[in-house]
Amino acid sequence: MAVETKDKPNTVQWRDGVQNSCLLFDGYSTSIETTLDNVGATTDQLSVEAWVAPRSHGSHGTDRLEAVISQHALWKDQGFEFGLGPHGSCSFRVGLGNNTAEVSTDSGRVPTYEWSHIVGVLDGGDSSLSVFVNGVKVASRDLGEPGSISYADVSLLIGKSNKPTEQANQTETVSSVFNVGMFNGLIDELTLYEDALTKDQIASHYEQIRSQHDGDLPKAGIKEIGLDPSLYRDDHHRPEFHLIAPGHWMNEPHAPLYYDGQYHLFYQHNPKGPYWGNIHWGHWVSDDLVHWRHLPIALSPGPTDLDPDGIWSGNATYDEDGDPVLFYTAGNMANTPDQVVATATPADTTDPELVEWEKTNEVTIEKPRRIGLRENDFRDPYIWREDGRWLCLVGAGIRGGGGTALVYESKTLEEWQFKGHLFETDHDQYPELGTVWELPILLSLGEDSDGDEKYVFIISPVGAGADIEVYYWLGEWDADDYRFVPDTEAPQRIDYGDFGFTGPSAMRDPKTGRCILFTIAQDQRRPQDHFDAGWAHNGGLPLELYLTDDDQLGIDPIEELASLRQTELVNVSDQTLRSANEELTGVAGDILEISLEIDSGGASKYGIEIRKSPHGEEQTLIYYDEECERIYAHREENSSDVDVRSGLAKRSSLVHSGEFELDGGTLRLHLFLDKSMIECYVQSRKSITTRVYPTRPDATGLALWADGDVTVEAMQVWELEEIGL
């Protein structure tokens, strides 16, 4: 049966297939729509055959197939649909007029990143419905009586499931934008037959292709099927030197580790589209914490009861032999509680890039019973080794109260004992800390000025009343009682942005001894913006955490970022505002590093305008207000597009600010501009992380700003390398 297709412009990608070329479907926007000439015709024999190489599995909690081909009117029990269900099961559905029959594989699941031959067969003669994978019948169903189907009066779709009901507004979507029934990967040699292929015919078709490749099927590796970052090369909002997934959705970076001379970092990732769900662990590797390389997905949800609904947040440690072990939150929404901690280890510890990981597929740590915890909030293990034992924090919440971090101990990495609550606060006094503490971190910062070892305890609160930011306390770790004792009860924030600095993960770098913090920088855009762009979110810059001379928390972007500097555009010192701005005339860019020191000589407000168009129609102002002792990021003119500004305002504030006591000294700002990303570090003590989306191509200028006389003690501006991760 010949099928005429029409490709969506600029979205269908051609790749090498099992025979000549094939199509790569992106999992959320790419499909082919056509019609059949024989709508309404009835047949009792039908076969559907295809070669597929999926990029990922998962269906976001729906029974909709990720359809290879669909001509199905479920509400009329007409037509057919053939594709993949959760975790690689293969399903064939046919509408028999009075019901819809389905057969699905329990064995013979279709793996990712490999070519598989799949066939669905309706044989009305013997009243059966069958599925074959790689030439072998792996599932069959007796229909009980002769069955026949009528081709439905709907479009024939390739790479997309038909809507489940006749009403258009009932189509199953995520965020009202992303269709859940779309195929993610390669499809080749798709054929419909108006007869029932026999098992010998199917085996022959399979062997015929294999023989063309000397008995081995062609590879469908990351180069053939992986997400291609070059597709976003012309996106003027996508960051260039920040950590970012090769495409689609990413959430928090996790499990930083150093192994065999390289740094590894993992991250929550949906390879199916730029929306939350179907969470895997993506994987980067780097020699210097700056120039990262994409590796294949490290961990995927599986068909077992352990983690069918997601590989959520976690951390890493080393076993007694020094080999890495990943601890992750395993999600199963059918259970209560729906989260446990599980582990994975490298398949080959001699591989310096640690490409392949093997899950133990067993529960490692579970929520303690009968201690008054919220039922389904138990996640985000953080592991470290101390005095011949391993310790683990897990984020949780107290029923009817606030958040908490639970402490576990083990001598084997396999058997863990619950030791109590690390630290709690008064929820009524600090409602901004929410009802659950996610992503707890406890790190030693070394000795303070009194010779006492000082720790930083970091959380990200969620739940009712939570201000979803990164909070911290400085204090001491009582290892005997498994308690953290803060210097002051009141929490502090590292960053004064809004949703731009969350999802903390940290490591003590074995190479340098530094404490390094990683975060997620959410992009504050709408689901439709994510659909149009094809990607969502990126990581923040890696930060070094340390104790300052006055025993406070110091933060600085890691020194390795200086390797990004290409051209020094400005270098001035001891100048007036006017003369410094003359040096900035003609200096422009959206991938810049700026170091600025300003001393107030009479002004009460002073700072810098960035991403500025020539006449100020678009600009973002970062400044200090001496009178109210606050640092500000003013974004109300960041875009001349009203829709962009209003969209940002609905998800965040257009003006970010936070308390900062300058105490009469020189204001020191360290800024990084990376397309839509803005990071500003103030006096190595606080930061403001935010996003801007200028619409004018000339909104790339810089200008210093003050409401009176100031002295520009020093200013340097560098153009930075476009890594294009």
Side-chain angles (χ1 to χ4, degrees):
M1 179 182 298
V3 177
E4 182 180 353
T5 64
K6 294 183 180 179
D7 298 345
K8 184 178 178 182
N10 303 319
T11 58
V12 175
Q13 301 172 54
W14 291 95
R15 294 289 189 272
D16 291 335
V18 293
Q19 284 198 141
N20 301 317
S21 297
C22 68
L23 290 175
L24 174 61
F25 294 81
D26 66 10
Y28 77 98
S29 74
T30 309
S31 62
I32 297 172
E33 182 174 356
T34 187
T35 58
L36 289 178
D37 296 331
N38 53 352
V39 168
T42 300
T43 180
D44 64 355
Q45 291 192 332
L46 175 68
S47 300
V48 186
E49 178 182 37
W51 284 85
V52 296
R55 181 158 52 199
S56 71
H57 299 312
S59 55
H60 200 77
T62 177
D63 63 355
R64 302 302 294 159
L65 295 184
E66 296 174 345
V68 173
I69 186 168
S70 178
Q71 209 268 340
H72 195 200
L74 181 63
W75 61 94
K76 293 182 179 180
D77 289 318
Q78 292 181 342
F80 66 93
E81 189 166 73
F82 185 50
L84 303 184
H87 313 300
S89 61
C90 186
S91 293
F92 187 33
R93 294 173 175 170
V94 295
L96 301 177
N98 56 356
N99 68 84
T100 292
E102 178 178 4
V103 60
S104 297
T105 60
D106 290 322
S107 61
R109 291 178 180 270
V110 177
T112 58
Y113 285 81
E114 295 181 19
W115 280 107
S116 296
H117 180 242
I118 59 174
V119 182
V121 178
L122 167 66
D123 188 342
D126 63 7
S127 301
S128 66
L129 199 63
S130 304
V131 170
F132 294 74
V133 176
N134 291 336
V136 177
K137 183 190 291 188
V138 291
S140 185
R141 174 181 176 180
D142 185 354
L143 299 178
E145 58 184 20
S148 61
I149 69 170
S150 297
Y151 293 109
D153 188 15
V154 297
S155 296
L156 184 141
L157 301 176
I158 298 174
K160 181 178 181 180
S161 173
N162 280 95
K163 62 181 185 290
T165 74
E166 191 171 10
Q167 302 300 316
N169 62 359
Q170 295 297 310
T171 300
E172 289 186 67
T173 60
V174 177
S175 302
S176 301
V177 174
F178 300 94
N179 189 295
V180 299
M182 303 195 70
F183 184 81
N184 186 25
L186 302 173
I187 300 177
D188 198 7
E189 299 301 307
L190 175 60
T191 310
L192 300 181
Y193 302 89
E194 292 182 319
D195 53 22
L197 294 178
T198 67
K199 64 178 183 180
D200 291 339
Q201 288 174 313
I202 293 169
S204 175
H205 291 183
Y206 171 65
E207 292 298 336
Q208 180 182 4
I209 295 294
R210 286 190 65 204
S211 66
Q212 294 177 15
H213 300 278
D214 298 324
D216 293 320
L217 296 178
K219 299 296 184 183
I222 192 169
K223 291 183 179 180
E224 293 83 12
I225 198 173
L227 292 166
D228 182 3
S230 69
L231 294 175
Y232 312 112
R233 190 170 291 139
D234 296 329
D235 188 332
H236 58 283
H237 295 315
R238 182 175 166 91
E240 285 285 340
F241 60 84
H242 280 75
L243 284 161
I244 196 166
H248 295 185
W249 176 274
M250 72 163 283
N251 254 34
E252 300 94 3
H254 292 307
L257 63 90
Y258 183 76
Y259 184 75
D260 199 13
Q262 296 192 104
Y263 295 94
H264 294 259
L265 190 61
F266 305 84
Y267 59 96
Q268 289 192 19
H269 176 48
N270 183 2
K272 190 166 163 50
Y275 59 89
W276 187 91
N278 192 35
I279 297 300
H280 296 54
W281 270 23
H283 187 185
W284 299 299
V285 66
S286 173
D287 298 323
D288 61 1
L289 290 168
V290 177
H291 298 82
W292 297 87
R293 303 186 303 280
H294 297 296
L295 293 182
I297 287 171
L299 299 177
S300 303
T304 69
D305 290 336
L306 183 67
D307 53 22
D309 292 316
I311 307 290
W312 296 331
S313 51
N315 208 259
T317 189
Y318 305 91
D319 65 17
E320 290 183 342
D321 297 324
D323 295 331
V325 183
L326 300 182
F327 281 66
Y328 68 91
T329 305
N332 184 343
M333 304 303 286
N335 290 343
T336 302
D338 58 13
Q339 300 161 348
V340 297
V341 175
T343 59
T345 56
D348 180 6
T349 55
T350 66
D351 174 13
E353 297 201 327
L354 301 176
V355 171
E356 295 185 14
W357 292 80
E358 296 176 343
K359 296 186 292 184
T360 59
N361 289 321
E362 296 179 355
V363 175
T364 303
I365 305 176
E366 57 186 344
K367 185 176 77 68
R369 302 181 185 276
R370 298 185 296 277
I371 64 168
L373 295 176
R374 292 169 59 90
E375 195 67 69
N376 286 326
D377 292 299
F378 181 78
R379 51 187 174 269
D380 312 341
Y382 172 79
I383 318 290
W384 76 99
R385 193 174 189 189
E386 178 180 301
D387 297 331
R389 59 181 175 169
W390 285 271
L391 293 148
C392 177
L393 302 182
V394 182
I398 298 171
R399 191 181 300 121
T404 186
L406 309 177
V407 185
Y408 289 81
E409 182 183 65
S410 174
K411 294 183 179 180
T412 65
L413 279 180
E414 295 175 355
E415 297 179 0
W416 291 83
Q417 291 183 321
F418 173 60
K419 293 298 182 179
H421 297 261
L422 179 76
F423 169 59
E424 303 137 70
T425 59
D426 186 332
H427 179 247
D428 292 334
Q429 186 174 359
Y430 301 107
E432 68 271 21
L433 296 181
T435 55
V436 177
W437 289 354
E438 292 188 330
L439 302 161
I441 295 169
L442 185 67
L443 278 171
S444 171
L445 299 177
E447 293 185 353
D448 64 10
S449 55
D450 294 326
D452 298 323
E453 187 171 12
K454 196 67 65 176
Y455 285 77
V456 59
F457 174 52
I458 299 172
I459 63 163
S460 182
V462 296
D467 189 0
I468 304 175
E469 304 293 346
V470 174
Y471 286 90
Y472 74 93
W473 295 262
L474 295 179
E476 297 180 5
W477 159 239
D478 184 342
D480 294 328
D481 288 337
Y482 306 94
R483 297 284 291 179
F484 173 74
V485 183
D487 293 342
T488 58
E489 187 178 5
Q492 299 185 63
R493 285 173 59 178
I494 293 177
D495 188 270
Y496 288 139
D498 195 357
F499 295 104
F501 185 98
T502 59
S505 187
M507 69 180 297
R508 178 169 292 282
D509 181 1
K511 181 179 178 181
T512 64
R514 297 172 299 175
C515 294
I516 299 177
L517 181 73
F518 301 89
T519 57
I520 180 70
Q522 296 182 2
D523 58 34
Q524 303 172 7
R525 296 208 280 186
R526 303 167 299 174
Q528 186 62 54
D529 296 327
H530 292 151
F531 183 98
D532 296 339
W535 62 276
H537 312 317
N538 56 267
L541 294 177
L543 303 181
E544 180 182 359
L545 305 182
Y546 56 93
L547 274 181
T548 62
D549 292 340
D550 58 351
D551 296 333
Q552 299 302 309
L553 181 66
I555 60 168
D556 276 315
I558 59 172
E559 61 184 5
E560 289 91 336
L561 290 165
S563 66
L564 294 172
R565 296 171 183 171
Q566 299 294 292
T567 304
E568 188 176 58
L569 304 176
V570 174
N571 189 340
V572 300
S573 59
D574 195 23
Q575 294 198 17
T576 65
L577 183 75
R578 175 177 291 182
S579 60
N581 272 333
E582 289 176 355
E583 295 287 340
L584 287 174
T585 301
V587 175
D590 57 5
I591 306 176
L592 301 174
E593 179 186 356
I594 304 166
S595 177
L596 177 63
E597 297 181 20
I598 300 179
D599 185 52
S600 170
S604 61
K605 300 176 182 178
Y606 42 92
I608 184 170
E609 296 167 326
I610 56 179
R611 299 304 307 270
K612 180 184 173 97
S613 60
H615 300 291
E617 301 92 342
E618 294 184 345
Q619 62 180 343
T620 295
L621 173 61
I622 295 178
Y623 69 96
Y624 182 67
D625 188 328
E626 285 188 350
E627 293 182 358
C628 63
E629 295 187 315
R630 297 184 74 86
I631 187 75
Y632 284 87
H634 194 292
R635 303 188 299 160
E636 290 186 321
E637 296 172 337
N638 83 93
S639 175
S640 57
D641 188 321
V642 175
D643 290 338
V644 171
R645 290 202 308 272
S646 62
L648 286 176
K650 288 178 181 178
R651 286 156 182 79
S652 177
S653 169
L654 292 179
V655 179
H656 306 318
S657 72
E659 296 179 357
F660 193 87
E661 186 177 345
L662 190 57
D663 200 21
T666 298
L667 176 68
R668 292 184 291 109
L669 302 180
H670 192 184
L671 295 97
F672 289 84
L673 281 59
D674 190 5
K675 299 297 182 73
S676 61
M677 276 291 295
I678 305 293
E679 292 180 61
C680 177
Y681 298 89
V682 188
Q683 235 78 355
S684 296
R685 300 294 183 93
K686 298 292 182 183
S687 62
I688 295 183
T689 303
T690 191
R691 310 296 290 232
V692 295
Y693 296 98
T695 50
R696 294 175 58 106
D698 58 357
T700 55
L702 304 174
L704 301 180
W705 174 89
D707 65 357
D709 293 331
V710 297
T711 299
V712 180
E713 294 192 351
M715 179 175 61
Q716 289 175 281
V717 180
W718 294 271
E719 187 177 47
L720 300 184
E721 178 185 0
E722 298 184 22
I723 294 177
L725 183 65

